[in-house]
Amino acid sequence: MGSVTSYFAPLCGEEQKLEEKRHFRGNDRPFNLSYHYADNAITTSKYSLFTFLPLNLFEQFRRLANAYFLSLMLLQLIPQISSLSWFTTAVPLILVLSITAVKDASDDINRHRSDKQVNNRMVNVLIDGELRSEKWMNVQVGDIIKLENNQFVTADLMLLSSSEPLNLVYVETAELDGETNLKVKQALTVTGEMGDSIHALAAFKGEVQCEPPNNRLDKFRGTLSLDGQTYSLDNDKVLLRGCTVRNTDWCFGLVIFGGPDTKLMQNSGKTTFKRTSIDHLMNVLVLCIFGFLAFMCSVLAIGNGIWEFKEGSVFTIFLPREQGVNAALSSFLSFWSYVIVLNTMVPISLYVSVEIIRLGNSFYIDWDRKMYYPKNDTPAQARTTTLNEELGQIKYIFSDKTGTLTQNIMTFNKCSINGKAYGELLDFSGQRVEITEKTERVDFSWNKLADPKFSFHDHSLEETVREGKREAQAFFRLLALCHTVMPEEKTEGELYYQAQSPDEGALVTAARNFGFVFRSRTPESITAVEMGRNVIYELLAVLDFNNVRKRMSVIVRSPDGKLTLLCKGADTIIYERLHPSCNKLREVTTIHLNEYAGDGLRTLVLAYKDLDEGYMDDWKRRHHEANTAMEDREERLDELYEEIEKDLMLLGATAVEDKLQDGVPQTIEQLAKADIKIWVLTGDKQETAENIGYSCNMLREEMKEIFVVAATTAEGVKEELQKARRTMCPQAAEEATVIKARAGLFWLQKTQRVEDEKVDGDYGLIINGHSLAFGLEKDLQLELLRTACMCQTVICCRVTPLQKAQVVQLVKKYKQAVTLAIGDGANDVSMIKAAHIGVGISGQEGMQAVLSSDFSFAQFRYLQRLLLVHGRWSYLRMCKFLGYFFYKNFTFTFVHFWYAFFCGFSAQTVYDEWFITLYNMVYTALPVLGMSLFDQDVNDRWSFQYPQLYAPGQLNLYFSKKAFVRCMMHSCYSSLILFFIPWAAMHDTVRDDGKDVADYQSFALLAQTCLLVVMNIQLCLDTCYWTAVNHFFVWGSLAAYFAITLTMYSNGMFLIFTSSFPFVGTARNSLNQPNVWLTIFLTSLLCILPLVAFRFVLIQLRPNINDKVRDTVRKEALPALAPRRPPARRISTRRSGYAFSHTQGFGDLVTSRRFLLKMPLRSRPVVFTQTDSALAHSQPQHYRTIAEEPHSPQAAGAP
């Protein structure tokens, strides 16, 4: 929305011509510019310097109340109908517009800064035969650019050449899909031959034809035409913007898509103007108020016409009408006069106050020390100040997994070797001992090549290995040899492992610390250091991992000539291939595996097999034939793998922990108690996501059933969804019932809602990305929604960023519930933008999610405080504010209405004009702000103790259309008392000295004093939590009223400003009369007593959750802090806790004859980062609201 044209074009029906095919030429800018492709500059801001004022005013006047006040100000410019000056409306309106504009400008300036920072990054571009350093935004389609190690990829590129053998490039795609394991890309051989020759690259004139810009991250189709030959391009030849080049000195790439056309930006979603459900409700209510105001003005205008016709002629003798004015015209003018007089039904101060309350509640989030993460010095931040109360109404949470629920750190936690379990500490009674930072760690100082950051606490395992136990040494030997890890040794003894998956890194590092160090590899050999002794194994074959095999094997020859097959994989797969002699050991190992699965650990089973030399020669010959076959190559290889991976001997099992962030299971449990549904949307594989589901207590053993939808056809997905739905709710209708309605301003918005269906018991649903793609299609989306919403937990695996947003939009569309999306990477941006509330976690995947979010913090566990404390309080305060504000202004306005019947419908005001001016701006502004900023029904600890307190917000019970109608009825009753009791009390009344007191000015003073006293008593009844500030505001406002009134009604003010202060002496003449104070007391009693009685009876007969909890709070002491105790082990009936985030293909690379050529040592980054436990530095957090288990210092995350 950089210009007015671009902003309004869609509104006018203009459409951009869609690109059907992209065609460009390398190193030929004039040719490429003729197609007008987008350059590489990105724009996420909404305004420019020139468009800010018109666009911002346009957005603000879309709020109906602002348009109303503008119209009112124009009416006040007409002297014939206005009894109030125009600036009484203009000044507050300009103030409101200015405050909102400044806030919007501040938000957009931050976006501009972010855009400028990205667009001004520098990159080497090949221009006119030489490399020049250019800004990212100046890069064009068809340019050749050079990237170096650890650089962000500038745009979507076709890889041309790289410094690595076979033209490989390693990239980290965390910003795109949330996965931190490295991916491999490979250039075409024909372009790879150019290497880093600037002359050859400058002469490159290849033409590329490819698909138009799209959001598919996993697919790319195109062709390269070069020297009369055509070469196919696929996703493996493309580097996407958002990736980071790793472990590659340099690479060259040809720009395919730039800026907004890149797949990252295509997936980022549009920036939308988010508004809360209360905002939408207020728009509707304001429209209803306008209608009611028009009705009241019409009644009074008709009354004026009748009065003028019947009674007005009597007064024309001494009050002649203006020329041309008759009863009909007088009636017409009085209508508009009453529009101005009664405009306080929707005072502009309402919107000023709402913005102040939201700003104040945002500061509470920013200042909350219990949401501050000292380790990274990261406080919570409310990046948007207009959505606070929506935090108290969340029904669905959509969460990323990697980096949001987990820390992206794998640690070697436990293992089972030859039937004995290691890794747990037991006390003298056999009970598990909690492992903390103070627990003694195993001392690996005897191993000079050990990783100093690796942590393990069971000393018996170290003793077993050092004693030379054959099975234990074979166990770690297998971990040191059976993998596809690439080692690096910067200096002697400083090893760094580049692992394709963090699981492998953790296992190889564990083997390293226990004395079996993987040192180096060539395509034919693996060098290891075993208990200080250098050993070289001949590598004969790598039987690679894939999702069907769920295992990988290596065949090695030891220095003494012994042939061994080493295998690791899922227990269900390995068990089928074990030798019968392992049955007993298998039973014991299974018990350990079930315990590990119960703890949510990721498990692998290890086995080996000794091979015969003659058989191996024959197998190698057949393997070579199969590997070079032109047909059925994969099938023949699989048969050979199946043949040799039989009669394996079991060694044991490993248990790796995908470390959750602190407090994640407790947070999810608390949110579930608050009836908030959590869906996990992750790009990770199914096994990994399922394991995390169990670790987080989202998936539980006691669930009746966990459905897995993994069909690859639309029909198959439909059948699986229907089967799951019929299992959960057999009596449910086959077709979904969609309730259609209208909502929004003027009821123009069409809504569709699918009701929740009751299910007996808890169920879970796991669905993968392919199946989800079919499920999101128009004819299946309702089936998907019905089935998913019946489940307590939903986990979507292998989903793209766009699919995440589509799932959120599906729930928003048909559930009409408030949604929240939380993530930490660029792949979560579209989901964050699509949800009502977007929360960014400032984690290890960059700051893209935070920059696009409405709220941000450092740890997932802070989400419960954001919702159950800040969100609930904000919603409660806003609802109380609106209820009280409408009440005090309706009451104020209705008194005018009743007075009209006693003043000839002349639009005379019942109050002093100064009281009308100051009523909302001074007398009642601060008390209601004090309540709206400080009130709380119960404190934060009780909010955590009773998460059920959150439910009323989800059901919108505190402020709705019904509550608004009740407020109007209450106001009508109060206004009748406030008008007729003072009127009756002063009618024909005399003072103590016999003088008449029943004049207009005395009645006005009495009526406005009664009104103000009643409003303050009502506020006191509504306030649950009193602070010194509340007391000061309430009693200070009353004192200010009497002080200002006595001053303005004094002789001095009358003498100085005679026309402005006509009520001279009224205050001192009236307020010294006992009957005036008695009238104030009686009026207050009659207004408040029925309300108190009604609330008392309601609490006794139909108490709500708040009433019950507040009653408990009065009777009980503050809940104690949750004790810190080790988590209870759950009994698992799962057959496997297997998970391995590995990808097929690395096996071929490590055995390639041209791979890993001898190259000079060079500095490379740490692949696995290491951090200490968060709780170690959390001293400022004085108490915990959840049971947070401490963790041992990170193990095996590696160097």
Side-chain angles (χ1 to χ4, degrees):
M1 298 203 298
S3 67
V4 176
T5 308
S6 63
Y7 181 79
F8 288 99
L11 300 177
C12 302
E14 290 185 29
E15 291 186 9
Q16 280 191 321
K17 189 177 179 182
L18 292 176
E19 188 178 336
E20 294 181 358
K21 185 175 70 172
R22 176 150 296 201
H23 179 208
F24 63 92
R25 190 179 296 155
N27 290 317
D28 194 344
R29 278 195 172 186
F31 175 81
N32 300 330
L33 287 172
S34 65
Y35 288 94
H36 304 292
Y37 295 136
D39 59 22
N40 203 42
I42 61 165
T43 305
T44 60
S45 55
K46 296 169 69 177
Y47 313 109
S48 70
L49 190 63
F50 301 105
T51 62
F52 174 75
L53 196 61
L55 294 187
N56 190 260
L57 287 176
F58 173 75
E59 281 188 354
Q60 290 204 59
F61 282 116
R62 288 172 71 179
R63 180 182 279 176
L64 192 62
N66 288 342
Y68 164 69
F69 290 122
L70 180 65
S71 305
L72 193 67
M73 187 188 75
L74 296 175
L75 283 177
Q76 287 179 313
L77 295 173
I78 305 172
Q80 286 84 355
I81 61 174
S82 178
S83 55
L84 296 171
S85 301
W86 64 271
F87 56 79
T88 57
T89 301
V91 172
L93 178 61
I94 292 170
L95 183 67
V96 170
L97 295 176
S98 300
I99 290 173
T100 308
V102 167
K103 181 176 64 65
D104 290 344
S106 174
D107 291 344
D108 209 57
I109 285 170
N110 290 333
R111 294 191 197 99
H112 273 286
R113 284 176 181 160
S114 171
D115 292 345
K116 187 176 180 182
Q117 180 186 358
V118 172
N119 289 332
N120 287 337
R121 288 175 181 167
M122 304 303 290
V123 68
N124 289 322
V125 184
L126 187 61
I127 300 175
D128 297 332
E130 61 178 347
L131 280 176
R132 296 181 190 171
S133 186
E134 284 281 350
K135 293 178 179 178
W136 275 27
M137 62 183 179
N138 296 331
V139 171
Q140 302 284 346
V141 171
D143 286 352
I144 292 177
I145 63 176
K146 179 183 180 181
L147 297 175
E148 295 179 347
N149 194 29
N150 294 330
Q151 267 193 311
F152 288 110
V153 177
T154 310
D156 288 356
L157 310 175
M158 184 193 94
L159 184 60
L160 294 177
S161 62
S162 85
S163 59
E164 298 302 292
L166 301 182
N167 303 310
L168 298 174
V169 171
Y170 302 100
V171 291
E172 185 181 280
T173 60
E175 289 278 353
L176 285 172
D177 56 20
E179 294 186 18
T180 53
N181 49 301
L182 299 184
K183 307 288 195 306
V184 181
K185 302 290 183 177
Q186 188 173 25
L188 291 168
T189 305
V190 66
T191 60
E193 290 170 352
M194 293 187 290
D196 58 351
S197 167
I198 301 301
H199 177 73
L201 289 163
F204 177 78
K205 297 295 181 185
E207 289 194 20
V208 174
Q209 296 191 41
C210 65
E211 60 189 20
N214 60 73
N215 51 41
R216 294 189 299 273
L217 293 175
D218 56 340
K219 290 183 181 177
F220 179 81
R221 291 194 309 257
T223 58
L224 169 68
S225 299
L226 183 66
D227 299 331
Q229 298 292 319
T230 301
Y231 305 91
S232 175
L233 300 176
D234 57 25
N235 209 44
D236 290 335
K237 311 291 188 295
V238 175
L239 301 181
L240 299 182
R241 180 175 180 143
C243 298
T244 307
V245 177
R246 299 291 191 203
N247 300 77
T248 306
D249 275 354
W250 52 261
C251 66
F252 286 87
L254 179 71
V255 177
I256 301 173
F257 301 122
D261 291 344
T262 59
K263 291 182 183 281
L264 175 67
M265 297 303 294
Q266 290 279 314
N267 270 287
S268 66
K270 293 182 179 179
T271 301
T272 56
F273 181 61
K274 292 184 178 181
R275 299 167 72 185
T276 67
S277 55
I278 284 186
D279 270 336
H280 291 294
L281 177 61
M282 278 174 60
N283 258 356
V284 175
L285 294 181
V286 166
L287 186 65
C288 295
I289 291 170
F290 291 162
F292 188 66
L293 178 64
F295 170 74
M296 289 172 65
C297 293
S298 300
V299 170
L300 298 178
I302 293 168
N304 177 269
I306 295 171
W307 189 90
E308 287 286 350
F309 182 75
K310 289 190 174 181
E311 306 289 340
S313 56
V314 178
F315 298 93
T316 54
I317 299 169
F318 56 90
L319 283 174
R321 295 189 179 116
E322 292 182 19
Q323 188 174 358
V325 176
N326 53 25
L329 182 58
S330 175
S331 173
F332 175 76
L333 293 176
S334 70
F335 174 87
W336 297 106
S337 297
Y338 271 113
V339 168
I340 295 171
V341 170
L342 303 180
N343 80 82
T344 47
M345 290 188 80
V346 189
I348 198 161
S349 59
L350 170 68
Y351 291 95
V352 179
S353 302
V354 164
E355 293 299 326
I356 292 172
I357 292 165
R358 285 173 171 167
L359 188 64
N361 285 317
S362 297
F363 282 136
Y364 290 151
I365 295 171
D366 294 343
W367 297 337
D368 192 344
R369 290 185 69 187
K370 293 168 190 171
M371 294 173 67
Y372 170 71
Y373 191 50
K375 181 183 169 186
N376 295 342
D377 188 26
T378 308
Q381 187 179 9
R383 297 173 52 81
T384 303
T385 58
T386 56
L387 302 173
N388 304 69
E389 67 270 17
E390 198 96 310
L391 291 169
Q393 299 180 274
I394 303 298
K395 183 66 179 176
Y396 289 90
I397 292 175
F398 300 91
S399 174
D400 178 39
K401 180 193 73 69
T402 310
T404 304
L405 300 177
T406 65
Q407 298 181 31
N408 270 354
I409 297 170
M410 300 288 180
T411 58
F412 181 80
N413 197 293
K414 298 171 185 175
C415 63
S416 170
I417 302 175
N418 198 35
K420 184 176 180 182
Y422 298 93
E424 279 192 349
L425 299 184
L426 305 177
D427 60 16
F428 63 91
S429 62
Q431 297 297 312
R432 281 206 300 172
V433 176
E434 181 185 10
I435 295 174
T436 68
E437 288 85 0
K438 296 180 181 179
T439 306
E440 185 185 1
R441 296 167 56 174
V442 173
D443 181 12
F444 291 108
S445 58
W446 55 270
N447 181 0
K448 293 180 180 179
L449 293 174
D451 177 6
K453 296 176 183 177
F454 179 82
S455 176
F456 203 77
H457 299 85
D458 188 351
H459 294 265
S460 64
L461 180 57
E462 181 210 18
E463 293 165 3
T464 302
V465 175
R466 295 188 71 182
E467 285 171 4
K469 292 288 179 67
R470 188 176 63 84
E471 293 84 0
Q473 293 198 350
F475 180 91
F476 285 110
R477 183 180 292 112
L478 187 151
L479 291 181
L481 299 176
C482 183
H483 54 76
T484 58
V485 170
M486 309 292 184
E488 285 189 274
E489 196 164 354
K490 291 183 178 180
T491 58
E492 182 68 26
E494 277 191 41
L495 274 171
Y496 293 90
Y497 291 146
Q498 174 213 318
Q500 194 213 0
S501 70
D503 316 65
E504 281 211 316
L507 295 174
V508 176
T509 302
R512 168 184 175 181
N513 275 62
F514 281 99
F516 288 79
V517 185
F518 168 56
R519 195 74 180 264
S520 64
R521 73 158 74 243
T522 70
E524 298 87 13
S525 68
I526 297 176
T527 302
V529 177
E530 297 183 353
M531 304 305 290
R533 188 168 56 91
N534 206 59
V535 182
I536 299 175
Y537 290 89
E538 183 184 352
L539 179 61
L540 300 176
V542 176
L543 283 58
D544 202 7
F545 171 93
N546 65 37
N547 284 326
V548 177
R549 283 169 43 75
K550 293 188 178 181
R551 65 190 184 276
M552 76 164 291
S553 302
V554 296
I555 301 173
V556 295
R557 190 195 306 273
S558 64
D560 58 8
K562 185 179 178 183
L563 285 171
T564 311
L565 179 141
L566 306 174
C567 182
K568 66 181 181 185
D571 55 0
T572 50
I573 301 295
I574 302 295
Y575 279 179
E576 294 171 358
R577 291 160 175 78
L578 290 180
H579 192 275
S581 63
C582 298
N583 286 345
K584 189 174 180 181
L585 177 57
R586 168 180 166 173
E587 291 173 6
V588 179
T589 306
T590 301
I591 295 171
H592 295 157
L593 283 170
N594 287 339
E595 290 176 357
Y596 300 155
D599 289 336
L601 303 178
R602 300 153 65 99
T603 59
L604 286 175
V605 169
L606 312 185
Y608 74 97
K609 177 182 179 181
D610 292 326
L611 299 175
D612 177 74
E613 189 75 45
Y615 171 76
M616 188 62 203
D617 289 339
D618 178 59
W619 187 90
K620 278 184 70 176
R621 178 184 56 76
R622 288 183 290 140
H623 179 265
H624 178 72
E625 290 174 0
N627 210 22
T628 54
M630 297 299 293
E631 295 181 1
D632 302 327
R633 181 186 303 173
E634 297 297 327
E635 290 79 2
R636 292 176 64 178
L637 285 174
D638 282 342
E639 287 176 11
L640 281 171
Y641 293 167
E642 285 288 339
E643 176 191 315
I644 200 168
E645 292 173 327
K646 285 181 180 177
D647 295 330
L648 303 175
M649 303 302 293
L650 181 61
L651 273 175
T654 63
V656 172
E657 181 181 7
D658 186 358
K659 289 190 75 67
L660 292 175
Q661 290 189 13
D662 295 317
V664 166
Q666 297 89 337
T667 299
I668 288 173
E669 185 180 354
Q670 284 284 84
L671 296 175
K673 287 179 182 176
D675 199 25
I676 298 173
K677 293 189 175 182
I678 301 179
W679 293 19
V680 174
L681 310 177
T682 177
D684 221 331
K685 61 187 293 184
Q686 180 182 319
E687 292 87 353
T688 311
E690 188 177 346
N691 263 34
I692 293 299
Y694 279 100
S695 302
C696 296
N697 291 334
M698 295 177 65
L699 298 175
R700 299 181 300 279
E701 294 300 325
E702 57 269 23
M703 283 183 165
K704 283 193 170 183
E705 192 170 346
I706 295 170
F707 303 103
V708 177
V709 177
T712 55
T713 64
E715 193 59 38
V717 171
K718 184 177 182 180
E719 287 177 9
E720 290 183 1
L721 289 173
Q722 287 180 341
K723 182 182 177 182
R725 175 175 55 77
R726 289 165 186 155
T727 302
M728 291 185 284
C729 192
Q731 70 276 15
E734 281 299 307
E735 294 296 325
T737 304
V738 180
I739 301 170
K740 296 184 178 181
R742 287 186 175 271
L745 203 57
F746 302 108
W747 288 268
L748 295 176
Q749 181 187 346
K750 295 179 180 179
T751 63
Q752 300 178 78
R753 185 163 50 88
V754 176
E755 290 285 348
D756 287 335
E757 296 171 88
K758 291 186 179 180
V759 175
D760 183 23
D762 290 344
Y763 294 88
L765 176 68
I766 299 170
I767 181 169
N768 66 32
H770 290 295
S771 301
L772 186 63
F774 292 116
L776 290 170
E777 290 177 358
K778 194 171 183 179
D779 55 339
L780 273 183
Q781 58 182 209
L782 285 179
E783 190 67 54
L784 170 67
L785 184 72
R786 286 180 72 193
T787 307
C789 290
M790 287 181 183
C791 298
Q792 186 70 23
T793 298
V794 179
I795 298 176
C796 303
C797 322
R798 289 295 189 199
V799 294
T800 66
L802 188 66
Q803 283 179 329
K804 291 184 178 185
Q806 289 172 335
V807 171
V808 175
Q809 287 162 350
L810 179 65
V811 174
K812 277 176 67 177
K813 180 179 179 181
Y814 288 107
K815 282 298 173 182
Q816 303 298 315
V818 182
T819 58
L820 179 147
I822 179 169
D824 70 323
N827 58 316
D828 304 313
V829 168
S830 56
M831 172 175 75
I832 285 171
K833 287 182 177 179
H836 293 97
I837 301 283
V839 177
I841 288 185
S842 46
Q844 298 184 22
E845 293 184 21
M847 294 293 287
Q848 286 289 330
V850 171
L851 293 173
S852 303
S853 66
D854 305 306
F855 301 89
S856 67
F857 41 72
Q859 293 279 289
F860 181 84
R861 69 175 185 267
Y862 298 147
L863 182 62
Q864 65 167 329
R865 186 168 182 84
L866 183 72
L867 300 187
L868 302 185
V869 178
H870 291 289
R872 199 178 66 80
W873 282 350
S874 295
Y875 174 69
L876 187 69
R877 290 164 181 165
M878 184 60 73
C879 292
K880 275 194 175 184
F881 166 79
L882 292 174
Y884 174 78
F885 207 95
F886 281 126
Y887 167 72
K888 78 181 179 69
N889 282 285
F890 285 167
T891 306
F892 177 93
T893 308
F894 282 152
V895 173
H896 276 301
F897 183 79
W898 308 128
Y899 180 65
F901 291 88
F902 294 83
C903 70
F905 305 96
S906 60
Q908 183 185 19
T909 56
V910 68
Y911 312 114
D912 170 25
E913 192 173 273
W914 282 105
F915 179 79
I916 294 172
T917 305
L918 299 176
Y919 177 71
N920 278 309
M921 301 300 289
V922 177
Y923 299 147
T924 60
L926 291 180
V928 70
L929 278 178
M931 178 186 73
S932 306
L933 288 172
F934 301 108
D935 199 46
Q936 48 184 264
D937 51 352
V938 294
N939 65 26
D940 54 350
R941 288 203 200 174
W942 285 106
S943 296
F944 286 129
Q945 187 77 5
Y946 294 98
Q948 299 84 356
L949 285 167
Y950 193 80
Q954 297 170 322
L955 302 173
N956 218 6
L957 296 182
Y958 291 147
F959 190 76
S960 59
K961 293 172 186 174
K962 288 182 180 178
F964 177 74
V965 171
R966 287 196 296 268
C967 172
M968 285 189 69
M969 293 170 65
H970 184 200
S971 299
C972 188
Y973 166 77
S974 297
S975 66
L976 285 168
I977 299 296
L978 286 166
F979 177 77
F980 286 103
I981 296 297
W983 175 81
M986 296 200 72
H987 187 62
D988 294 333
T989 302
V990 294
R991 289 161 44 92
D992 293 344
D993 56 8
K995 292 181 180 178
D996 189 15
V997 77
D999 61 279
Y1000 161 71
Q1001 292 185 349
S1002 299
F1003 172 72
L1005 176 67
L1006 178 59
Q1008 66 197 36
T1009 305
C1010 289
L1011 173 72
L1012 202 61
V1013 170
V1014 168
M1015 291 303 109
N1016 277 281
I1017 295 173
Q1018 177 71 41
L1019 183 85
C1020 293
L1021 288 174
D1022 287 346
T1023 302
C1024 296
Y1025 183 74
W1026 283 89
T1027 66
V1029 177
N1030 291 86
H1031 282 289
F1032 176 75
F1033 283 170
V1034 171
W1035 310 121
S1037 294
L1038 278 173
Y1041 166 71
F1042 285 109
I1044 292 171
T1045 300
L1046 289 168
T1047 302
M1048 289 197 304
Y1049 294 0
S1050 65
N1051 292 354
M1053 295 298 290
F1054 176 72
L1055 291 172
I1056 299 170
F1057 306 102
T1058 305
S1059 60
S1060 299
F1061 299 98
F1063 278 45
V1064 60
T1066 304
R1068 64 174 181 269
N1069 289 337
S1070 297
L1071 296 179
N1072 63 3
Q1073 296 299 307
N1075 63 334
V1076 169
W1077 290 103
L1078 189 64
T1079 303
I1080 293 171
F1081 174 74
L1082 178 63
T1083 305
S1084 303
L1085 199 65
L1086 288 173
C1087 281
I1088 299 302
L1089 203 59
L1091 176 70
V1092 172
F1094 174 74
R1095 289 186 178 179
F1096 175 78
V1097 172
L1098 195 65
I1099 289 174
Q1100 298 302 316
L1101 300 180
R1102 292 177 58 189
N1104 58 30
I1105 181 69
N1106 288 66
D1107 299 327
K1108 293 175 183 177
V1109 172
R1110 289 180 66 196
D1111 184 57
T1112 304
V1113 170
R1114 282 191 288 268
K1115 295 175 183 176
E1116 297 180 10
L1118 196 66
L1121 300 180
R1124 296 177 62 191
R1125 56 180 180 270
R1129 167 172 284 160
R1130 58 186 172 85
I1131 304 302
S1132 176
T1133 56
R1134 298 170 65 204
R1135 177 63 192 273
S1136 175
Y1138 154 75
F1140 195 47
S1141 51
H1142 205 299
T1143 307
Q1144 181 178 4
F1146 254 49
D1148 293 334
L1149 292 175
V1150 299
T1151 55
S1152 169
R1153 293 287 170 187
R1154 293 178 55 194
F1155 192 54
L1156 287 175
L1157 300 176
K1158 194 147 184 108
M1159 302 182 72
L1161 293 176
R1162 57 177 180 268
S1163 175
R1164 284 184 171 175
V1166 179
V1167 176
F1168 300 99
T1169 53
Q1170 175 77 34
T1171 54
D1172 293 331
S1173 171
L1175 296 180
H1177 305 287
S1178 295
Q1179 300 308 319
Q1181 297 183 254
H1182 298 300
Y1183 68 90
R1184 294 184 178 84
T1185 50
I1186 53 175
E1188 299 174 342
E1189 300 95 31
H1191 295 284
S1192 59
Q1194 314 297 351

